[in-house]
Structure formats: C-alpha cells, structure tokens
C-alpha cells in the first residue's frame, strides 16, 4: 500500500471480487438464447448492457460470476427472457477460488 | 519590493498573481468578489497568463479547480459564506483527492437571515473537511499567507483555505509590501507532478468507489481501503504542523516577514490572562491587552493562525502556567459553544498546568466589537475567575438583554 489517493485501472478484477455482493445470480438458459439458437454471434444485448463488463460475447454469452454483482440488467434486457435471476440461497454454498467453500 | 495601499481582497489577488496561478475559476459573492474581479482583469489584460473560467455557481467554481488541479495546474478560487456552503460537497472532494488548491475565504455570516457582514461561521463550518485553514490578521498577512499557502499545499498535497475577515480586512485599505516577482518565484517554484496519473496511454479512474477494507487489485497487490486513505490524509494534516511553520520561516528568510507559524503572540511572556482569537480580532486584542496592563492586569494575546490542523502542542506549551485563557469566537456550534473555545478546552484536557478556559461569542453578522467591550468582558471574566469558576457557559458580548430565551 503506497499510493496516497484512490485510483483504479481498467483491468479485470481491479475493484476486487465484486461477485461477493450478489444476492441473485443470472442463470443463462441456452435453449432460449437467440444467439445460441441461431448458431452465430447475434443479439448480444446482455453483453452490451452489462455495466460491469462481466459478460463475454458468445453463443450463448458467458457470465463471469466472480465479478457479477447481480444487478439483473442482463435479465431485464434479454428479448428472449433467456436469463433468469435466481436467489443465491437456491445455489447453496459459494465457492472461493481454489475450491474452498464459505 | 514596493509598498502599495490596498484592500485585503487586492492583497489576496496580488498573491495569486505572484504565485503564477494557471487556472482561476470563481463566482462572485460579497465580500470576496473584488479578488476574482482583479484576477479576471489581469487575465484579460494579458498581465497574468492563466485561464479564467467564469462559472455559474460556487459548486462549479471549485469543481473546475479540482479538474485543473488533477491534471497538474496551480488552481485558485475565492468565496464567502453561502458560496462556500454551496461548494461544500466539492470542498470535501478537493481534500480527499489530495489536490493542492488554494482558496481565499473572505469570512462572512451565514444566512438566514440574510447578512453580508463579517463573522467566521462560514469557514469554521467546514473545519472538518480536511483542508489546512489559516486565519489572517491584516492585509500584509493575507498577501504573505496566500503565497505561502501554495507551497504548503503542494508540499503536502492538501488544499489550503486562507481566511480573512470580510469588510474588516477585505475592504479596508492598508499599506502592503508586495515582493518582487523574482522573490516569489524563488520561494514558490512551479508545481511538480501531481499524485494523479493522467495519461491516455495509462488510464486511471481517480477517486473510484473505495470500500472500507483494503482490496487486492487486478495484479493481486493490496490497495488501501477507505479508512487507510483517510488515515493518510489525517497524517498529511498532522504533518502540516511542521510544514506551516517551516514555510513561514522560509518566507521570513525571503522577505523579512514571518507570522509566527501556527500561532502568534503579543505580551505573552509573563501574561496570567491570555486572550485567544483568530483573524483580525487578534489585532484588536493587542489594544485590549495594553489597556488591561495599564490597569495592572498581566494580559497577553495568543492568536490562532493555523486553525486546522489545530496546534495542540503549541497551545499547551504557551498556555501552561497561565491563570485563564479567554477565547473570543466569531462563530458558534449551535447548542454548544464557540469552535475555538471548544477545541482549546479539548486540547488542554489533562495537560499539566493548564489554565481555566472561558468562551465568549462576539461579532456575529458584523456586530461591532470595540476594544472597550472586549476589555469589559475580560474584567468580568477576571471576576468569575476570582470567584473560583472553573467552567462557564459562553458569554455573548454586546447582546441585547433578554435575547437568549
């Protein structure tokens, strides 16, 4: 710790493991995702709208739960209703990097 | 060096010019307006190579200074009373972002009711924001302190507020020695690189969400949490207890004028009764001490030049062994007492050989305070002291009978 003021860089994980904040988890149902169904990188609105850049483009797009805060914007914007916000308690324990449970 | 007859506002503006400020952003408010009117004129006439940004509010004035200071410019603004209150959010930002902005505050009473005259409620109300606060006694000290303020600010990476009494100093003409530009330049070299990294090839978010705990960044390096940054900021303010006197001594070497560093004193050596205040009241109190000495009372004056950080050690050392410290505040923490009295009592708590501390409230909203009234208040305090009163509710000077019900 040597800097005198708070600064951050545009890097993955720069703000810490913000996935800790999540109370609901976005669950992608590929069978409804337009891109997955079309077999090409189309739509991608979830990737576009994610304010924390936690979503990678794909068929279907992938959601990085290490940093997803669970805001639910992706689920709200998905025109095919392919993303469902499921309360974390429904998933049981969260895993830490390395596999430790907490 | 040339002696000019000028107002306190002219002295503040002249100091900013001597400091070669690069960005001035301000919104007019009585009694500060002539400071930035001068600077605006000098920029327009080509005498001061700076950007003058005319903004629509005080909030924007300080915000522009924050932007300018973030990228490394020497930035200056001035305000008073409700203008200072309006920019309060940014007052905190400038401090927390550790930006060496200098702001002159021509002290004025807070509304409501509306009043443009002097007291010190405005700057006292932001004493906790993390700026260094210096209070001036006369126009020469305003000029000298404002130049010093840039060196203090840039050494510590904290903003500095130079406070002086509205109208009593801001609009009163006095002879002021204006140092030559070469003297000021040697004293205050150009600002060095800012703490902030501003580089399009190496971008940073400055002042991002910073949670309570330290966090590992993308490289796994532990970065400070909110409390660690606040502790570092507090450390910088405490360091100002050394830097403010150092800079004052350096100024004295350069110009022959020093102002006492953290505190100033008059007839203090053998004083039993010490009159304490900040700002132009200190000058008035020297007359009171002289008058009381003529009556056989060993009175002296201790002026607070640096109010934040509060010079606890200096005050303890100078007040040890005295009988009474009588504090005259031109501000009030409503429902409690005057801020300087409150702070002095806390500073002296458990100090060996500490005097009794009494508070007095005076001069609110520009209510005239005469040396005669101050002397009478001191005589009354001596009566209380002789009666064995160790603590006393603040006395209001020159208040109409029956007002406090």
């Amino acid at each position: 710790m040597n800097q005198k003021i708070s600064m951050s860089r545009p890097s993955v994980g720069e703000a810490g493991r913000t996935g800790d904040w999540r109370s609901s988890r976005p669950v992608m149902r590929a069978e409804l995702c337009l891109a997955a169904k079309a077999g090409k990188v189309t739509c991608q609105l979830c990737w576009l709208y994610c304010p924390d850049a936690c979503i990678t483009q794909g068929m279907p797009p992938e959601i990085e739960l290490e940093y997803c805060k669970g805001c639910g914007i992706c689920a709200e914007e998905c025109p095919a209703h392919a993303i469902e916000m499921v309360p974390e308690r429904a998933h049981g324990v969260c895993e830490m990097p390395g596999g430790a449970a907490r | 060096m040339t002696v000019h007859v000028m107002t306190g506002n002219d002295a503040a503006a002249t100091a900013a010019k001597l400091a070669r400020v690069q960005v001035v952003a301000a919104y007019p408010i009585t009694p500060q307006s002539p400071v930035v009117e001068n600077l605006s004129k000098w920029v327009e006439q080509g005498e001061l190579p700076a950007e003058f940004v005319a903004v629509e509010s005080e909030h924007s004035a300080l915000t522009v200074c924050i932007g300018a200071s973030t990228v490394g410019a020497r930035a200056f603004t001035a305000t008073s009373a409700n203008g200072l209150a309006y920019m309060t959010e940014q007052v905190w930002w400038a401090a927390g972002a550790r930006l060496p902005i200098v702001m002159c505050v021509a002290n004025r009473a807070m509304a409501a009711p509306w009043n443009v005259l002097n007291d010190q409620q405005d700057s006292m109300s932001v004493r906790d924001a993390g700026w260094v606060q210096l209070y001036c006694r006369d126009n020469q000290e305003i000029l000298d302190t404002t130049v010093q303020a840039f060196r203090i600010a840039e050494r510590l990476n904290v903003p500095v507020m130079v406070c002086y009494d509205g109208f009593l100093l801001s609009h009163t003409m006095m002879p002021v020695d204006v140092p030559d530009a070469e003297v000021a330049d040697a004293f205050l070299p150009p600002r060095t690189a800012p703490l902030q990294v501003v580089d399009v090839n190496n971008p940073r978010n400055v002042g991002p969400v910073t949670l309570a705990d330290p966090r590992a960044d993308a490289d796994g390096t532990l970065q400070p949490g909110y409390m660690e940054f606040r502790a570092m900021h507090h450390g910088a303010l405490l360091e100002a207890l050394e830097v403010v006197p150092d800079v004052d001594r350096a100024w004295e070497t350069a110009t022959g004028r020093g102002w006492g560093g953290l505190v100033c004193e008059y007839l203090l050596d053998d004083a039993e009764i010490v009159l304490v205040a900040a700002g132009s009241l200190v000058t008035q109190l020297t007359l009171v001490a002289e008058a009381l000495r003529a009556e056989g009372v060993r009175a002296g004056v201790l002026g607070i030049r640096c109010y934040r950080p509060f010079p606890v050690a200096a005050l303890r050392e100078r007040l040890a062994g005295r009988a009474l410290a009588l504090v005259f505040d031109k501000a009030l923490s409503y429902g409690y007492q005057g801020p300087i009295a409150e702070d002095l009592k806390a500073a002296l708590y458990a100090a060996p050989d500490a005097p009794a501390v009494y508070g007095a409230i005076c001069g609110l909203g520009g209510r005239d305070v005469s040396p005669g009234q101050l002397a009478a208040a001191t005589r009354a305090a001596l009566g209380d002291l002789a009666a064995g009163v160790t603590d006393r509710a603040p006395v209001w000077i020159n208040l109409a009978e029956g007002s406090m019900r």
Side-chain angles (χ1 to χ4, degrees):
Chain A
M1 294 196 280
N2 51 13
Q3 63 184 63
K4 289 183 175 153
I5 58 165
S6 190
M7 292 190 288
S8 63
R9 298 163 298 171
S11 312
V12 175
E14 179 74 359
R17 295 183 66 252
T18 48
D20 285 1
W21 304 10
R22 198 172 55 239
S23 61
S24 287
R25 179 183 300 190
V27 175
M28 174 72 79
R29 286 174 293 178
E31 68 274 18
L32 298 179
C33 169
L34 298 179
K37 287 203 293 189
K40 58 183 179 185
V41 184
T42 182
C43 184
Q44 310 295 311
L45 285 176
C46 54
W47 164 82
L48 187 67
Y49 276 100
C50 177
D52 277 315
C54 291
I55 299 178
T56 308
Q57 291 191 47
M59 306 173 290
E62 285 177 35
I63 302 173
E64 171 57 272
L65 293 175
E66 188 83 356
Y67 305 115
C68 165
K69 297 168 182 166
C71 70
I73 289 173
C74 55
E76 183 69 22
E77 295 298 335
C78 176
H81 307 292
I83 301 173
E84 184 186 3
M85 298 304 292
V86 180
E88 279 297 325
R89 65 175 178 275
H91 298 281
V93 296
C94 296
E95 287 197 351
M96 296 278 282
R102 60 172 170 172
Chain B
M1 187 149 55
T2 321
V3 176
H4 296 264
V5 176
M6 62 169 73
T7 65
N9 282 335
D10 292 342
T14 302
K17 187 182 179 191
L18 282 171
R20 299 192 186 278
V21 293
Q22 293 162 302
V23 174
V24 179
Y27 190 81
I29 185 167
T30 303
Q32 163 282 129
S33 302
V35 178
V36 291
E37 286 168 1
N38 274 319
L39 290 167
S40 170
K41 181 179 70 186
W42 294 333
V43 170
E44 181 65 22
Q45 292 174 345
E47 287 180 46
L48 176 62
E51 287 291 329
F52 187 97
V53 186
V55 289
E56 86 296 351
S57 75
E58 287 85 357
H59 188 279
S60 299
L62 190 50
T63 304
V64 167
C65 289
I66 286 170
S69 188
T70 300
V71 298
R74 185 170 281 163
F76 175 82
T77 188
T79 192
S80 296
N82 289 57
L84 177 61
Y86 193 22
M87 65 167 65
T88 300
E89 182 204 16
Q90 300 303 318
V91 168
W92 284 82
W93 189 276
R98 305 289 301 276
L99 297 169
I101 296 164
V102 171
M103 172 159 67
C104 282
V105 176
N107 286 119
R108 159 182 155 177
M110 294 295 305
W114 203 247
N115 180 302
V116 298
L117 302 177
N118 167 247
D119 65 35
Q120 296 170 345
Q121 192 69 52
D122 49 2
S123 53
M124 289 284 170
S125 297
V126 291
R127 66 180 182 178
D128 296 334
W131 290 53
V132 170
Q133 278 198 354
L134 305 173
Y135 287 77
C136 302
R137 283 162 280 172
D138 61 32
N139 295 358
Q140 183 72 62
E141 190 175 6
I142 294 170
L143 184 144
D144 293 349
T145 302
T146 304
V147 179
Q148 290 182 17
F150 285 97
R151 183 151 149 180
I152 296 164
E154 291 168 16
R155 173 112 157 248
L156 294 168
N157 290 296
V158 293
V160 177
M161 213 175 280
V162 179
C163 308
Y164 54 90
D165 290 313
F167 291 108
L168 299 177
L169 298 181
S170 72
H171 285 64
T172 304
M173 300 195 101
M174 299 178 193
V176 174
D177 276 353
V178 179
D180 295 336
E182 304 76 59
V183 173
D185 288 343
F187 175 81
L188 185 69
R191 187 180 163 197
T192 52
L195 291 176
Q196 292 73 13
V197 177
V198 182
D199 175 359
V200 288
N201 296 314
N202 185 14
R204 293 284 191 280
N205 184 1
V206 178
V209 172
T210 304
L211 299 182
D213 294 332
R215 67 176 166 88
D217 68 11
D219 301 331
T221 307
L222 200 61
Q223 297 294 342
Y226 185 89
M227 277 189 76
E228 283 72 25
F229 283 119
R230 286 302 181 181
M232 285 185 261
H233 184 179
H234 181 57
L237 263 283
L238 293 178
E239 202 183 332
L241 292 169
E242 307 295 328
V243 172
V244 168
D246 279 356
V247 169
D248 192 41
R249 278 190 291 272
W251 182 255
E252 186 169 11
T253 304
T255 68
R257 286 187 306 275
W259 296 93
L262 301 170
V263 295
C264 56
E265 55 187 72
Y266 183 70
L267 300 177
L268 193 67
D269 281 348
D270 65 339
E272 291 179 318
I273 311 304
V274 182
L275 310 176
V276 182
S280 64
L281 206 47
V282 177
T283 308
Q284 255 186 310
L285 288 172
T286 61
L287 303 175
V288 178
E290 286 172 1
L292 289 166
R293 280 189 179 253
E295 299 168 16
V297 177
R298 290 218 305 256
V301 180
L302 187 55
I304 310 256
R305 179 168 185 258
C306 179
Y307 178 57
R308 282 293 181 275
F310 198 59
V312 172
L315 292 167
R316 283 185 167 202
E317 186 261 318
R318 282 172 178 74
L319 289 173
R322 320 287 181 176
L324 175 69
L326 177 55
V327 182
F328 296 94
D329 268 296
K330 280 186 174 178
L332 177 62
S333 181
Y334 284 82
Y336 193 29
Q337 56 185 318
I340 301 174
E342 170 193 331
D343 286 340
L344 185 61
K345 286 176 187 178
L348 295 177
Y349 179 74
D353 239 0
V357 180
Y358 292 171
I361 306 297
C362 64
L364 300 188
R367 176 67 58 91
D368 201 19
V369 190
S370 69
Q373 289 161 348
L374 295 166
T378 308
R379 288 186 206 101
L382 290 175
D384 290 339
L385 187 70
V389 177
T390 53
D391 195 16
R392 196 184 76 165
V395 167
W396 290 56
I397 295 175
N398 194 19
L399 182 72
E401 281 290 319
S403 300
M404 213 176 314
R405 287 203 187 114

